[in-house]
Amino acid sequence: MAIAVLSSGVTGLNAAERALGNSAHAIANIGTQGFQPSQAVFTESSPAGNGVSLSFQAQQLQQVDGPSNTNLATETSHSLVYKTQFDLSAKVIQTADQMLGTLINTKA
């Protein structure tokens, strides 16, 4: 049980880190003409309860000379959500580590 929880926490950390990187990429390109940011999409890994997977949905590429399509308010709020997800996944790992430590101490 604790190993599965540990695995779920690690996949959550990885997904949050990749999503935060995607958001940072969009913010960094806010001044790039015609930039189309991609969106992070989280899904539960199969079988259920096995972690989180992340995919990116790119918007249609357009050859536009207009300003970037990045919305700074949206990307900032997404960054806060991803940071919170990262923190919660870290707490899951910490709890799993404590459970494993208790189990090992009980067996010893």
Side-chain angles (χ1 to χ4, degrees):
M1 167 90 177
I3 299 294
V5 172
L6 187 61
S7 176
S8 292
V10 169
T11 60
L13 280 176
N14 289 334
E17 184 266 333
R18 288 184 57 214
L20 190 56
N22 182 63
S23 189
H25 176 70
I27 291 171
N29 283 289
I30 200 162
T32 303
Q33 292 287 358
F35 178 75
Q36 300 291 319
S38 59
Q39 296 178 334
V41 179
F42 294 90
T43 55
E44 185 176 12
S45 294
S46 185
N50 229 11
V52 178
S53 62
L54 177 70
S55 63
F56 295 104
Q57 291 182 341
Q59 296 182 5
Q60 262 188 335
L61 295 176
Q62 300 174 2
Q63 302 229 350
V64 180
D65 289 334
S68 169
N69 224 15
T70 302
N71 183 324
L72 187 57
T74 300
E75 293 302 332
T76 301
S77 64
H78 284 172
S79 295
L80 293 172
V81 169
Y82 302 149
K83 181 194 176 303
T84 302
Q85 179 184 353
F86 189 91
D87 292 343
L88 290 173
S89 294
K91 293 221 182 268
V92 167
I93 291 172
Q94 184 180 27
T95 302
D97 181 50
Q98 290 172 349
M99 288 171 52
L100 282 171
T102 302
L103 179 63
I104 290 170
N105 289 340
T106 302
K107 294 274 185 179

